[in-house]
């Protein structure tokens, strides 16, 4: 099992390097595909993955990603609003086929998976985004790895005894500190290429720490959903890891945090957009 998980992890990292380094429409399409798979996994938990309600979600995910490039909608909020209206129309016209949790879950699935994952692409599109985007993964996957190692060595106090008994407070602290240190080292290496000063590096490293803290919430929230519905994994697409949501549960919620923090911090750096 460990060997399978390790090999799958290596393949995932290699694909991430290829797709994110390439960027542009390649990253846009690949992120959309991940979003559609993740939405399918989420809707399958609700038992609606092949229904009209779900296909409305898939369609609006595609519309949302197309709008990121073509900008044919007035705003992203307009897309989300129109989707909510459509969900309510389907809910009413097909009543009582869908109960309230399924209707609400359909709307939540689009935002939770497709919209939040799109911040990987949006971060990559920022000035020097080819460097900034990796902070998402340093904050999420870096935190996960550091938390696991520290927890194994020093973990004594349970973080959430009922929800995830193997996670410890010590591991959580180690994950946050580890993510900040990884980010600090990474930014020092690419400091000249990014044209940023020490103060900016410190702020971005602190932002990575916040992202790491939030990533644990994303991980635990995904676990809570699985426990509520009595499943172990969202899927079996990635050997040793489960489905897309099992592997990207922390990335999903970390991506917008890094995007907004980095946007605020870097807009104050003279000439950064140049």
């Amino acid at each position: 099992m460990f060997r399978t998980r390790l090999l799958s992890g290596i393949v995932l990292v290699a694909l991430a390097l290829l797709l994110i380094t390439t960027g542009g429409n390649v990253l846009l399409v690949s992120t959309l595909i991940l979003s559609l798979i993740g939405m399918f996994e989420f809707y399958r938990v609700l038992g609606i993955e092949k229904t009209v309600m779900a296909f409305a979600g898939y369609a609006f995910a595609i519309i949302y990603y197309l709008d990121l490039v073509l900008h044919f909608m007035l705003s992203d909020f307009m897309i989300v609003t129109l989707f909510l209206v459509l969900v309510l129309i389907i809910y009413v016209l097909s009543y009582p086929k869908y109960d309230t949790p399924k209707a609400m879950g359909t709307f939540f699935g689009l935002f939770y998976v497709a919209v939040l994952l799109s911040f990987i692409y949006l971060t990559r599109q920022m000035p020097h985004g080819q460097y900034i985007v990796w902070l998402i993964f340093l904050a999420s996957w870096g935190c996960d790895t550091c938390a696991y190692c520290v927890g194994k060595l020093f973990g004594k106090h349970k973080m959430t005894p009922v929800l995830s008994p193997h996670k410890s407070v010590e591991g959580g602290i180690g994950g946050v500190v580890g993510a900040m240190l990884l980010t600090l080292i990474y930014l020092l290496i690419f400091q000249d290429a990014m044209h940023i000063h020490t103060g900016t590096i410190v702020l971005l490293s602190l932002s990575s720490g916040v992202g790491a803290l939030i990533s644990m919430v994303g991980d635990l929230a995904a676990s809570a959903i699985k426990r509520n519905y009595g499943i172990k994994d969202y899927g079996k697409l990635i050997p040793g890891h489960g489905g897309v949501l099992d592997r990207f549960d922390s990335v999903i919620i970390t991506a917008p945090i890094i995007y907004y923090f980095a946007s605020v911090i870097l807009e104050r750096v003279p000439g950064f957009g140049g």
Side-chain angles (χ1 to χ4, degrees):
M1 181 66 178
F2 174 77
R3 183 180 179 182
T4 301
R5 186 177 177 85
L6 177 62
L7 290 174
S8 295
I10 293 173
V11 172
L12 278 175
V13 171
L15 282 174
L17 282 168
L18 175 63
L19 296 173
I20 293 175
T21 300
T22 303
N25 290 336
V26 172
L27 180 59
L28 178 77
V29 173
S30 60
T31 308
L32 171 59
I33 292 172
L34 276 178
S35 297
L36 292 173
I37 296 172
M39 289 176 68
F40 179 84
E41 292 174 351
F42 182 77
Y43 289 156
R44 182 169 55 194
V45 172
L46 301 179
I48 60 169
E49 75 278 11
K50 297 180 181 179
T51 64
V52 173
M53 192 80 85
F55 279 102
Y58 305 144
F60 264 80
I62 294 171
I63 292 171
Y64 170 76
Y65 273 81
L66 286 174
D67 186 64
L68 292 179
V69 178
L70 302 178
H71 307 293
F72 51 83
M73 291 284 188
L74 294 177
S75 68
D76 295 336
F77 185 73
M78 179 181 178
I79 297 175
V80 175
T81 302
L82 289 175
F83 180 57
L84 177 59
V85 172
L86 179 59
V87 167
L88 291 175
I89 290 173
I90 297 172
Y91 178 51
V92 169
L93 294 181
S94 60
Y95 188 85
K97 181 177 180 179
Y98 304 100
D99 57 21
T100 303
K102 288 180 179 179
M104 294 174 66
T106 303
F107 178 76
F108 179 75
L110 173 72
F111 192 86
Y112 174 58
V113 183
V115 174
L116 295 190
L117 266 180
S118 72
F119 280 91
I120 296 175
Y121 169 77
L122 292 172
T123 305
R124 177 62 176 83
Q125 292 298 103
M126 293 172 60
H128 296 299
Q130 68 270 32
Y131 301 107
I132 301 298
V133 70
W134 295 107
L135 270 61
I136 295 172
F137 299 94
L138 289 171
S140 54
W141 291 352
C143 173
D144 185 46
T145 301
C146 292
Y148 175 81
C149 294
V150 173
K152 278 290 186 182
L153 292 173
F154 307 106
K156 292 182 179 180
H157 302 87
K158 304 297 182 183
M159 183 184 297
T160 53
V162 177
L163 179 57
S164 187
H166 297 298
K167 294 188 186 312
S168 65
V169 174
E170 292 82 2
I173 294 172
V176 172
V177 173
M180 287 193 292
L181 288 175
L182 289 172
T183 301
L184 177 64
I185 294 169
Y186 169 79
L187 292 175
L188 286 173
I189 292 173
F190 293 103
Q191 179 177 9
D192 292 337
M194 294 174 66
H195 308 294
I196 54 177
H197 52 70
T198 304
T200 302
I201 290 176
V202 172
L203 288 175
L204 287 173
S205 298
L206 291 173
S207 299
S208 186
V210 175
L213 188 63
I214 298 298
S215 77
M216 290 188 283
V217 175
D219 181 28
L220 291 169
S223 297
I225 294 172
K226 288 188 286 187
R227 283 182 177 271
N228 281 338
Y229 285 90
I231 61 172
K232 183 179 183 295
D233 294 314
Y234 282 103
K236 299 180 180 178
L237 181 65
I238 309 171
H241 292 270
V244 167
L245 291 183
D246 294 295
R247 182 64 276 180
F248 287 85
D249 51 6
S250 59
V251 173
I252 283 174
I253 198 169
T254 305
I257 299 299
I258 295 299
Y259 173 81
Y260 286 119
F261 268 87
S263 296
V264 171
I265 293 169
L266 294 175
E267 73 178 6
R268 302 174 185 275
V269 178
F272 185 78

